[in-house]
Amino acid sequence: MLSPYDELPVHQTSHPLSVVSNTDPGFDDGYFFSVFSADKGIVCFQGLRINPNTDIVGGYVGFIRNGVQRTVRFSRTWRELCDTAVGPYRIEVVEPYRDIRLTLDDNPSGIRFDLHWLGTSPAYEEAHHLATNRGRPTTDQTRYSQAGTARGWIDIDGERIDVDPAHWYGSRDHSWGLYHERPPLAPNPRFLPPREAEGIPRALRFWTLFGSDELSGFYAIHESPEGKQVPMNDTFGTPFEGRLHIGWDKETVDLVGGSHELELVPGTKLLRAGTVTLHDADGGKWVQHVEPVSPPWVTATIGYQAGSWKDGGSMRTYHGPGVSVEWDEFDFAKQPFDHTMYDGTVYRNLHGKEYLSRVTTIAPDGRRWVGAGHTELFLDGPFSPYGLQ
C-alpha cells in the first residue's frame, strides 16, 4: 500500500515504506517528547508510536503537577491515514531536529496545547540497542536523543500556561526497531523454554537530557548489579555514552565516562539528590548536581503496558473503529504505591522513574550553569553499591 512517504526516494527495501522487513508485532517506530519547567514543577509529556504489523498508531499526552498525573490516550488504525496524527493529537516536523510542532486540540481530558519543541543541540544517536534470549533478538533498535526548549501554551481545565524558551526545557527521543515480547501481544511463556541467561543483566539506568542557558546535553549510565559499567544483554545495555553542547555548534564536548553518588529516600528507590561526575575526551571533569523538584511521573498510565488502556489492551492493540480516546487521572504524590491496571494486574510498591530535576553543571574551568533536566532512574533488582537487595 502506497503512503505519502513513498513519494520520497528513501526506500530501504523493495516494498512500500508501510511494509517493514520484520513481521513481529513488536516492531514499531515513534517519538517521545516532553516540555518541563523546574520553577513551576510541571511536566507535559507525550508520544506517538506506529506499529505497522498490527496496523495501529497510538499516542498519549500526560500532564503532571504536584504529583497529580492526568493522561489522555488515543488510537486508530494506521494505513487508512499514514500520518503523525491521531484524532486531536498531531506532530508536525517544521524543520528537522530544530522545530517540531506539537498540538492537542479539544478532547475529553481537558488538556489542550500548541507547542513548538525547539532543539538546542544536535540529536545524539545512541549506540545500537540489542538484547537476546536463547539466540533470538528481543530488542533490535536504533534511538536518538535530543535536548531542547519549548514555546507556546498549555491549557488544562481552562487554565492557560504560557511556555517560553527562557524558562522551559525539553527532552525527546525517536526510536525504531524491534521490541519483542511486549504483552498482551507476546508469546505465552508457559509454552516456551525457560529464559536463558545470556550475558550480564542491567540493574541501574541513569539517563539524562538537560538544558540551561546555552549549555545542554545528554548522557546515560548503565551498570550491572555489582555497579560495573560493562556491556550488558539488556534493552539499555551500553555502559556509558553522552555529549555536551554549548550552543548548537559553538562548543562540543564528547563524554567518555561517568560516575554517580545518589541519595535515595530511605526505604525506597526514590531519588532525593545526586551528583554525577562526567569525564570528557580531553581529560576534563564536569560535575552535575541533580535535585528532583517533584514526585516522579509514572509510565504505567501512558499506554505501553498491557492493561494501561481501559479495555485491557495497550498502545499496540486495537480499540475499535474510528479514533479511540480515553483519559484518567491519578494522585501519585505519595510514592511508592500500589496500582491496579485495567486488566486487573496489581503492581506493588511501584516507584515512578521519570524525574523533573533542577540541574547545576560545573565545567572543568569553573563555568557554571543552572537549568532543568529530565532524568530516568531505573533500579531493577539487587544493586550492591546502594545496598539494594
Side-chain angles (χ1 to χ4, degrees):
M1 175 181 175
L2 294 177
S3 73
Y5 307 115
D6 291 301
E7 187 70 67
L8 302 174
V10 295
H11 295 83
Q12 301 295 303
T13 73
S14 58
H15 298 281
L17 282 172
S18 66
V19 179
V20 294
S21 59
N22 188 316
T23 61
D24 193 301
F27 186 100
D28 67 5
D29 189 343
Y31 301 104
F32 166 84
F33 293 91
S34 74
V35 298
F36 48 85
S37 168
D39 294 335
K40 294 183 179 296
I42 291 173
V43 181
C44 181
F45 56 89
Q46 56 201 273
L48 177 147
R49 298 205 73 83
I50 294 165
N51 285 78
N53 295 324
T54 58
D55 193 23
I56 298 293
V57 54
Y60 60 90
V61 167
F63 181 95
I64 185 166
R65 177 171 50 183
N66 300 324
V68 178
Q69 181 170 318
R70 185 180 302 186
T71 310
V72 55
R73 297 173 291 273
F74 19 81
S75 175
R76 63 170 173 82
T77 53
W78 176 54
R79 286 185 174 86
E80 67 192 60
L81 176 62
C82 293
D83 195 2
T84 51
V86 190
Y89 182 65
R90 174 176 291 275
I91 298 174
E92 178 187 357
V93 178
V94 179
E95 182 180 356
Y97 307 109
R98 296 273 193 168
D99 186 352
I100 315 294
R101 188 182 183 192
L102 310 168
T103 54
L104 180 65
D105 294 333
D106 290 339
N107 68 89
S109 74
I111 306 172
R112 299 185 302 123
F113 54 72
D114 189 340
L115 297 166
H116 285 261
W117 194 100
L118 306 169
T120 54
S121 56
Y124 182 93
E125 182 182 347
E126 299 183 27
H128 193 77
H129 298 176
L130 178 66
T132 60
N133 174 41
R134 290 185 170 269
R136 176 176 183 171
T138 55
T139 298
D140 187 6
Q141 173 212 88
T142 292
R143 177 190 304 270
Y144 62 77
S145 300
Q146 189 178 19
T149 58
R151 180 183 72 246
W153 55 267
I154 303 168
D155 187 289
I156 180 165
D157 296 336
E159 175 192 357
R160 183 183 174 104
I161 301 167
D162 291 323
V163 175
D164 68 278
H167 301 94
W168 288 72
Y169 299 97
S171 64
R172 69 172 293 213
D173 72 29
H174 180 186
S175 61
W176 60 94
L178 176 66
Y179 289 90
H180 181 58
E181 297 179 348
R182 287 275 181 110
L185 300 180
N188 187 334
R190 173 187 170 192
F191 299 108
L192 295 173
R195 294 187 68 86
E196 185 177 81
E198 296 178 347
I200 298 171
R202 173 188 54 81
L204 174 140
R205 168 172 167 83
F206 193 92
W207 175 100
T208 292
L209 280 163
F210 73 95
S212 57
D213 181 22
E214 200 175 27
L215 176 72
S216 61
F218 159 80
Y219 62 87
I221 301 172
H222 300 109
E223 294 182 356
S224 71
E226 294 74 36
K228 303 296 184 182
Q229 293 180 20
V230 294
M232 286 161 274
N233 183 32
D234 183 83
T235 304
F236 307 113
T238 306
F240 178 87
E241 58 186 330
R243 184 175 295 148
L244 307 178
H245 292 268
I246 296 177
W248 184 276
D249 53 12
K250 180 178 177 182
E251 184 178 343
T252 299
V253 179
D254 290 316
L255 300 175
V256 297
S259 60
H260 52 86
E261 297 177 15
L262 306 182
E263 179 185 352
L264 304 180
V265 176
T268 77
K269 296 180 180 180
L270 293 168
L271 179 65
R272 174 176 283 171
T275 298
V276 179
T277 301
L278 303 167
H279 300 276
D280 66 35
D282 295 326
K285 183 172 72 174
W286 299 69
V287 177
Q288 187 168 89
H289 300 292
V290 177
E291 180 185 0
V293 299
S294 58
W297 57 272
V298 178
T299 59
T301 69
I302 66 179
Y304 283 106
Q305 296 170 242
S308 52
W309 273 75
K310 294 180 180 180
D311 61 7
S314 73
M315 190 184 301
R316 296 167 174 81
T317 62
Y318 182 62
H319 303 289
V323 177
S324 299
V325 180
E326 63 178 36
W327 70 281
D328 48 33
E329 184 174 274
F330 298 97
D331 189 342
F332 294 137
K334 294 182 179 179
Q335 298 189 28
F337 58 93
D338 295 343
H339 182 71
T340 302
M341 305 293 281
Y342 289 115
D343 64 355
T345 302
V346 179
Y347 289 101
R348 304 288 185 188
N349 202 38
L350 191 64
H351 296 68
K353 299 179 178 181
E354 311 288 340
Y355 292 85
L356 166 60
S357 299
R358 196 175 307 280
V359 174
T360 302
T361 309
I362 305 168
D365 60 8
R367 287 176 294 172
R368 181 186 184 95
W369 297 268
V370 178
H374 170 192
T375 294
E376 285 188 348
L377 175 61
F378 292 15
L379 288 165
D380 300 319
F383 188 64
S384 57
Y386 296 129
L388 298 176
Q389 306 300 318

